[in-house]
Each structure stands twice: as structure tokens, then as C-alpha cells.
Amino acid sequence: MLTVNVDLAAHAYPIHIGNHLLDRTELFAPHLMGSTVALITNATIEPLYAARLRSTLAPLGKRLIQIVLPDGEAHKHWETLNFIFTKLLTERADRKTTLIALGGGVVGDITGFAAACYMRGVPFIQVPTTLLAQVDSSVGGKTGINHPLGKNMLGAFHQPQAVIADTAVLRTLPARELAAGLAEIIKAGAIADAVFFDWIETHIDALNRGDETATIEAVRRSCEIKAQVVAADEREQGRRALLNFGHTFGHAIEVGLGYGRWLHGEAVGCGMVMAAALSQQLGLIDSATRTRLKRLIAAAHLPTQAPILGSDRYLDLMRVDKKTEAEQINCILLKRLGEAFVMRVPDHTLRAVLTASTQSDTAAEKPNT
Amino acid sequence: MLTVNVDLAAHAYPIHIGNHLLDRTELFAPHLMGSTVALITNATIEPLYAARLRSTLAPLGKRLIQIVLPDGEAHKHWETLNFIFTKLLTERADRKTTLIALGGGVVGDITGFAAACYMRGVPFIQVPTTLLAQVDSSVGGKTGINHPLGKNMLGAFHQPQAVIADTAVLRTLPARELAAGLAEIIKAGAIADAVFFDWIETHIDALNRGDETATIEAVRRSCEIKAQVVAADEREQGRRALLNFGHTFGHAIEVGLGYGRWLHGEAVGCGMVMAAALSQQLGLIDSATRTRLKRLIAAAHLPTQAPILGSDRYLDLMRVDKKTEAEQINCILLKRLGEAFVMRVPDHTLRAVLTASTQSDTAAEKPNT
């Protein structure tokens, strides 16, 4: 087991990474106050891992409330959140009840937001079961739900007591979701660590087939990079924005196609290709660098061609994105592989890139399903 | 104008108290970042004060979004909150948009919670227009909404940039709402300052008729007491619980009768009488002390007889109250006037007090309407 420590101003917490951590009672014990635990998961994960986690918690003698959500981004909205609140209140969960999020990014985000709001804040633990959630959504304290007018528009910064990332559970992960997780791993290298980017290129086949050693190392380094960025900028005032590399385009794709058509990681993968194209268009990187990033994303079985939504629709969706202040669009761009920065980009430049990105390849609109 | 400074770990802010502050552009100017301001008020307050506040803000050249909510505690729920989110997103409010809450406790609580959640947190200013909101709900950063299963069950701690309490607007306040505000002023004296309690007894007639000097002083001292308690315990782990004196009983009354039948302050007023009865029952205070508190609450035109809900229903409602951990009921009790503390009380003692409190007087069930 490897442990990455996240050091924040008011709160520090560990991310434990390794095989079969789901069975280790001693990793959960130090983080459970109060007499009650609420295990929150989804209908896909529940039959796979909930009984095992309940057995792991049993020796601690807590009262256990189990809440099973419908699976998928389409359910990451108020109604599902309120389902959690109603269940917690009906079962008399109190202010010391710890919520445990067992699932992917959606379960983690919504459970974290429930923990932030229930009785104005209760503790929670993340047990991410997808590669994406292990490397990205369970680190950094961002929680939230979608609004019909925008993704993740409602939420809170609420840090978990601990993240317990059991890499063995990734064996049951569909190939498409594994690829979606690789997108955030590639992103970590692209924005912050050229050496790690090289390492991913070398190990992409091992990562694609779920090799244990390579996966643990990739998760560790990605968490470390994200934890460092978050610790330096907990409330996303500056440097943390770099973690959104590929996300402004990616969010536009997700919302434009309708939540759930593309996985978040797929949209981010494609968004990074678009951001690289924009960086080249602005003369920041050369064609070879752009091609290198695009090839790695393709090698991870992620889509590299943007769906056709029309430039106006893209710009409209990108402007609603919450990284936007007032009417100008901030883009995260590459200076080189391993270094990113934020810049406002005029609409006409974006239009050129959007047109090119939706026409340049012959790949199908829908990613590998 | 008097100013009370609230000093919190991560954030300090001023509470300005005085007549006609609504017209003073310079009080708002330092707290408005970004290019957009969202003025959130209700249908009762809008025709009275919104135009004046818009004029005050006009010289600052901000884009102004106005959002008018339905009036009343019955609307302090998710649907109203979502109405705010939809309007903010439709109008493209961004992460630097400042929300201004112009209204009573409901507008303040819901606007504060909207500010806490919108894009994971935007700044807000409280402009409380009721006495209750000026002395209580605009100080301390507690924000939230009700759930059908409990009052204020969902919320966040989110501190305002400033509180601007214009005591002149209290002239349009209905007598019943003025009395409701006096409940929290009496509470501040009862739990923390015997000298202030004496002062309130002496000035209760002046306060009842809305005397300017007495009102400003009462608001100032109440805010000061609350600010001190909150600064010592921002997240309600310990001492801050004392501010809930009268509230565990009060919440049970509010929920038991249905939100909106009694005003929050009325329920707290009656709840303090019940808490004093409980304190006497436990041998903590003598009959004279209990009578003194009850007389002052009656002199403020607040109800002193609890509505008949049945002891079982009361206990059930008090147990769901979020001040409850696990299954025991924590009560805030008086040691003497000016000093309160928290104690767990067995059900049979509570039953005796609940039975006595709903039978002891001949006053009508419904407070002065």
C-alpha cells in the first residue's frame, strides 16, 4: 500500500492506494466518529462490493445505514441528493454520522455534497471504485451536482476524512471506464510533469490491460500531482484552474451531447486534444507536441475527434462553464508538455479550432463503446 | 452608526447598525467584487425597499440581477433555492457575482445557502429587514433550508462579506415580527449577560414601541454577544450550542404546528419559558428566576404557553432536531440569568415539563396575531 498525504490549511487527510484495501478494517477505523455510518453506493456497485465493505466495518460495531442510488451521471441531480437526505433523516443520522461513498465520481461527488450540506456538514470517506474517481474526483474536496443549465454548477468544497483507493476493484471496471480514468492520468502529466508524461507513454499498454504495478504507480503520481496543486490553491483561485486542462471543451461536449452520452474522461480526453490544437493555433506549442499528446490519448482508447455541435453552440456552452468570468472565455493552454497556464482567448480563434477539431479526423462521433 | 466586528479564523466582517444605512453606497462598495450583483428579496420587501437599494448601488456601475422570492418560512425549501440557481445561471452570474440578501431570516438563510453552493461558493452581503434577522440570523454564517422532515436540516456555514442592518426599516415591521425579534435579544441576555438582561427589562416598553436609541443598542449588544460566541466556536462544536437556548423546544413547536403557524421568534420565546421550567425542574434555578424570564417574554408580547402536541410528539420532534446526537436529547439549560450550559436530559423529566408547559396557563394557543 502507498499513501499520499494531502495537506490543506484546516485539514489534512491520507489517500491510501493498493490492492484489497476494501478488506482492511484498520484503514477505516480511525476515521469513523459517532455511532452511525451511512454507506452510500449505486445499483451497479452494490452487488459487487457493498457486502464486503459491510463485513470490513462490522467489527467496529457501528449502526449501518445503506443507501443505494441509481447509477450514472444522469442521476447526479437534486432528486438523488434529496433521496439521500430523506433517508438520512428517516434513519435519524446525526451530526457525527460518517458518510462513506463507495462508487465512481458521481457517487463521490453527490455523497460529498450531501455530507457538506446535511446538518451543515458531516464527515465522509471516499472509496472510489473507478480509475477516474481514484485519480481525480476523490482528491481535492470538490463536491456537487448538476443543474439542467450546467454541469457541477451546485456544490461545495468539502474535504474527506480519507480516501481509500482499492486498485483491485478496477478489475471489474468496463474497458471504456478504464480509458476514461487514463484521461486524467495523462492530464496530470501534461500539465505538471514531463517525466511522468514520458512514463505514461512507455507504460500505456500495461495501463490499458490493468497491470497492477503500473496502475498503482499511475494512481499514486496522479494523486500526488493533484494533491500538490490543491494544497497550493484549495479554493480554486489560481493554480488549481490548471487541473481543468481539457475540461472547458470537455464540459461543452458533455452538456452539448446530453449528460451521459460520453463519459467525463472521454470528453476530457477529446478536450485535451482540442486544447492542444488551440495551443498550437496560438503558436505556443509545435505540431509535434500536439501530435504526441493526441497519439497518447488515442493509445489510451479515448476519442480524439470532437462531436459536431456547431461553433456557436460550443462557445455558448463554454461561456456558461463556471471557469468563465463575465463574458470572456478563459482557456487552459499548454506551454509545453508538463507545463500549462490560463489565458483568455478571443472567440474567432476558438471558432477556427472548433471547426478544425470537428472535421479533422474520420473517426466516428461516438467513442469506443 | 455602530459597527460590530466579527473575527473568525479565515474571515472577518463588519456588522453596521444604524438608521438609513440602506442609502449609503460607501457601505456596500468595499464588498462588491466582480461586475455583477444579484439582489435577492421577497415579494413583501421588494415594493418597500428594493428600488432604494438599487439606487444606492447604481453609482457603482454593476450589472444588477433581481430575484424576488415568495414570502415566508413555508417557501424556505429546495424549490425556492433552485429558483435562485436557475435565475443566476440564466442571467450568467459568475463566480465573482455577489448576492445581496434583502429581507428577513428566510431570505438571508436561503440566499446565504445559495451563495454557499452556487459554483461552489460566491460572496454575499446580508441586509436584514426584520429585528430577528438583524440580531440573529444574519450573524454567524449559518445558512440553510428546511426539509419536510426537519427545519434547517440542509445548509452550510458560509460567512457574509458584511451585514448592513438598517434599523429605520424596522418601522414597517408588523408588531408580531418585532416581538419575534425581541425573543432573540432576551435570549442573548439570558444565556450570556445578566447586566444586559436587566437593561432589557428596564427598556422593554421602549423596545416594544420601536424607540430608535433603545433598538440600536439592543441590536448592537445582541450582535456582539452572538459574534463573540460564534468567533469562539465557528463550527458549532461546543459553546455555540448555547445560542440554541429555547430552540430545541422551539423547533419542535414550529415543526409540530407546521412551518409558518408560529414565527420562529415566537416559538423560541415559548421555548425559553419551557427551558426555564426544565431548569427549575432539575433544581438549577429557583421559581423566582423562572418567573422573571417568563414575565419578560410575556412583556415582549411573546407566547409563554406551549401548544398541545402531546409529549410523545414533542420528544419525537426534539430527537430529530440536529442538536441531538444518537438517541439522547441535549438541552440548553440555565444555571442563572446570564449563564447557560448543555446537559442531556432523560425523557421522563422532559415529559413532566412538557405536560406542565402545555397546561399551566390560560392563554390561547395561537400567539398575538
Side-chain angles (χ1 to χ4, degrees):
Chain A
M1 184 180 81
L2 302 170
T3 299
V4 175
N5 286 300
V6 185
D7 287 311
L8 303 174
H11 182 65
Y13 67 89
I15 304 170
H16 301 302
I17 305 156
N19 278 333
H20 308 301
L21 304 192
L22 214 53
D23 302 317
R24 291 173 61 173
T25 306
E26 80 280 10
L27 296 179
F28 291 87
H31 306 294
L32 298 174
M33 318 298 150
S35 58
T36 305
V37 170
L39 174 59
I40 303 180
T41 186
N42 70 32
T44 306
I45 296 299
E46 197 278 332
L48 293 172
Y49 300 113
R52 241 176 89 196
L53 185 50
R54 287 199 305 272
S55 302
T56 302
L57 299 173
L60 303 172
K62 307 285 181 184
R63 181 168 72 101
L64 194 130
I65 302 166
Q66 180 167 301
I67 304 176
V68 182
L69 311 178
D71 187 11
E73 180 85 22
H75 300 283
K76 189 176 159 181
H77 51 39
W78 162 256
E79 285 75 12
T80 308
L81 186 67
N82 198 43
F83 173 74
I84 297 174
F85 292 143
T86 301
K87 184 88 183 201
L88 290 173
L89 287 165
T90 306
E91 299 279 343
R92 300 223 157 131
D94 63 21
R95 295 172 69 180
K96 291 190 177 171
T97 298
T98 299
L99 312 192
I100 300 182
L102 174 69
V106 172
V107 169
D109 281 7
I110 202 165
T111 300
F113 192 35
C117 297
Y118 187 68
M119 296 188 175
R120 298 200 190 89
V122 294
F124 79 115
I125 295 173
Q126 296 268 23
V127 185
T129 60
T130 66
L131 183 58
L132 180 65
Q134 292 189 352
V135 298
D136 188 59
S137 48
S138 65
V139 188
K142 277 195 184 180
T143 71
I145 56 172
N146 300 325
H147 183 282
L149 296 175
K151 191 170 150 60
N152 290 324
M153 282 294 151
L154 313 177
F157 288 94
H158 191 56
Q159 306 295 339
Q161 301 299 301
V163 178
I164 296 167
D166 185 339
T167 40
V169 307
L170 302 178
R171 284 172 204 156
T172 55
L173 197 66
R176 192 175 158 198
E177 295 213 30
L178 191 80
L182 291 174
E184 296 285 354
I185 291 171
I186 293 168
K187 183 200 75 180
I191 64 166
D193 186 344
V195 174
F196 183 48
F197 191 90
D198 293 348
W199 182 94
I200 303 166
E201 281 182 322
T202 312
H203 293 81
I204 190 65
D205 291 338
L207 292 169
N208 280 336
R209 67 171 182 267
D211 173 85
E212 273 183 23
T213 315
T215 302
I216 292 177
E217 174 56 19
V219 172
R220 182 198 66 79
R221 185 61 191 135
S222 298
C223 286
E224 209 168 62
I225 288 170
K226 182 157 187 192
Q228 282 163 357
V229 173
V230 169
D233 179 24
E234 196 173 339
R235 285 310 186 101
E236 200 170 15
Q237 307 298 306
R239 189 167 151 69
R240 186 162 174 164
L242 303 185
L243 294 171
N244 291 319
F245 179 60
H247 283 59
T248 305
F249 290 108
H251 283 176
I253 293 172
E254 284 186 273
V255 179
L257 292 179
Y259 291 133
R261 285 279 311 279
W262 282 27
L263 296 176
H264 174 70
E266 290 169 342
V268 168
C270 185
M272 288 193 284
V273 175
M274 296 165 84
L278 181 59
S279 305
Q280 191 196 342
Q281 173 85 7
L282 291 163
L284 296 159
I285 60 171
D286 58 19
S287 163
T289 303
R290 174 190 165 194
T291 303
R292 214 181 133 193
L293 180 62
K294 187 171 174 176
R295 274 195 192 140
L296 182 55
I297 288 165
H301 305 307
L302 290 162
T304 57
Q305 191 193 8
I308 298 166
L309 302 172
S311 298
D312 286 344
R313 178 81 173 125
Y314 264 108
L315 290 176
D316 206 45
L317 290 167
M318 291 168 75
R319 226 181 289 283
V320 171
D321 187 275
K322 67 193 164 306
K323 263 66 75 182
T324 307
E325 284 161 17
E327 294 303 315
Q328 283 197 273
I329 299 181
N330 283 325
C331 295
I332 325 286
L333 300 166
L334 284 186
K335 210 169 273 180
R336 55 180 185 87
L337 286 173
E339 189 175 356
F341 72 108
V342 184
M343 200 176 96
R344 295 192 173 189
V345 178
D347 280 9
H348 64 88
T349 311
L350 281 166
R351 280 181 197 281
V353 170
L354 286 165
T355 306
S357 296
T358 51
Q359 292 173 346
S360 56
D361 283 4
T362 53
E365 185 192 308
K366 191 101 195 266
N368 51 321
T369 42
Chain B
M1 184 180 81
L2 302 171
T3 298
V4 175
N5 286 301
V6 184
D7 288 311
L8 302 176
H11 183 63
Y13 66 90
I15 305 170
H16 300 302
I17 306 156
N19 278 332
H20 308 298
L21 304 192
L22 215 53
D23 302 317
R24 291 174 59 173
T25 305
E26 81 278 12
L27 296 180
F28 291 88
H31 306 293
L32 298 175
M33 318 298 149
S35 58
T36 305
V37 171
L39 173 58
I40 303 180
T41 186
N42 70 34
T44 307
I45 296 299
E46 196 279 331
L48 294 171
Y49 301 113
R52 242 176 87 196
L53 185 50
R54 287 199 305 270
S55 302
T56 302
L57 298 174
L60 303 173
K62 307 285 181 184
R63 180 168 73 101
L64 195 129
I65 302 165
Q66 181 168 300
I67 304 176
V68 182
L69 312 178
D71 187 11
E73 179 85 22
H75 301 282
K76 189 175 158 181
H77 51 38
W78 163 255
E79 285 74 12
T80 309
L81 185 68
N82 199 43
F83 174 74
I84 297 174
F85 292 142
T86 301
K87 185 89 185 204
L88 290 173
L89 286 166
T90 307
E91 300 279 343
R92 300 220 158 135
D94 63 20
R95 295 173 71 179
K96 290 191 177 172
T97 298
T98 299
L99 312 191
I100 300 182
L102 174 69
V106 172
V107 169
D109 282 6
I110 202 164
T111 300
F113 191 35
C117 298
Y118 187 69
M119 297 187 174
R120 299 201 188 90
V122 294
F124 80 115
I125 295 173
Q126 296 268 23
V127 186
T129 60
T130 65
L131 183 57
L132 181 65
Q134 292 189 352
V135 299
D136 188 59
S137 48
S138 65
V139 188
K142 276 193 185 182
T143 71
I145 56 173
N146 300 325
H147 183 281
L149 295 175
K151 191 171 150 59
N152 290 323
M153 283 295 150
L154 313 177
F157 288 93
H158 192 57
Q159 306 295 338
Q161 302 300 301
V163 178
I164 296 168
D166 185 339
T167 41
V169 307
L170 302 179
R171 284 172 205 155
T172 55
L173 197 65
R176 194 177 157 195
E177 294 213 30
L178 192 80
L182 291 175
E184 296 284 354
I185 292 171
I186 293 167
K187 184 200 74 180
I191 63 165
D193 186 344
V195 173
F196 183 48
F197 190 90
D198 292 349
W199 182 93
I200 303 166
E201 280 181 323
T202 312
H203 293 81
I204 190 65
D205 291 340
L207 292 168
N208 281 335
R209 67 172 182 267
D211 174 85
E212 271 183 22
T213 314
T215 303
I216 292 177
E217 173 57 18
V219 172
R220 182 197 65 79
R221 185 61 191 135
S222 298
C223 286
E224 209 167 63
I225 288 170
K226 182 158 186 190
Q228 282 162 358
V229 173
V230 169
D233 179 24
E234 194 172 340
R235 285 311 185 99
E236 200 171 13
Q237 306 298 306
R239 194 170 146 69
R240 186 163 175 166
L242 302 184
L243 294 170
N244 290 318
F245 179 61
H247 283 60
T248 306
F249 290 109
H251 283 177
I253 293 172
E254 286 187 271
V255 179
L257 293 178
Y259 292 132
R261 285 280 310 281
W262 281 26
L263 296 176
H264 175 70
E266 290 169 342
V268 168
C270 185
M272 287 193 283
V273 175
M274 296 165 85
L278 182 59
S279 305
Q280 191 196 340
Q281 174 85 9
L282 292 163
L284 296 160
I285 59 170
D286 60 18
S287 164
T289 302
R290 175 191 164 190
T291 303
R292 216 181 130 192
L293 180 63
K294 187 171 176 174
R295 274 198 190 135
L296 181 56
I297 288 165
H301 305 306
L302 290 161
T304 58
Q305 191 193 6
I308 297 166
L309 302 172
S311 298
D312 286 345
R313 179 82 173 124
Y314 265 107
L315 289 176
D316 206 44
L317 291 166
M318 290 167 77
R319 226 181 290 282
V320 171
D321 187 276
K322 69 193 163 306
K323 263 66 77 182
T324 307
E325 284 161 17
E327 294 302 316
Q328 282 196 274
I329 300 180
N330 283 325
C331 295
I332 325 289
L333 300 166
L334 284 186
K335 211 169 271 181
R336 56 180 185 85
L337 287 172
E339 190 176 354
F341 72 108
V342 185
M343 200 175 95
R344 296 192 172 190
V345 177
D347 279 11
H348 65 88
T349 311
L350 282 165
R351 280 181 197 279
V353 169
L354 287 164
T355 306
S357 296
T358 51
Q359 292 173 346
S360 56
D361 284 5
T362 53
E365 186 194 307
K366 190 103 194 263
N368 50 321
T369 42

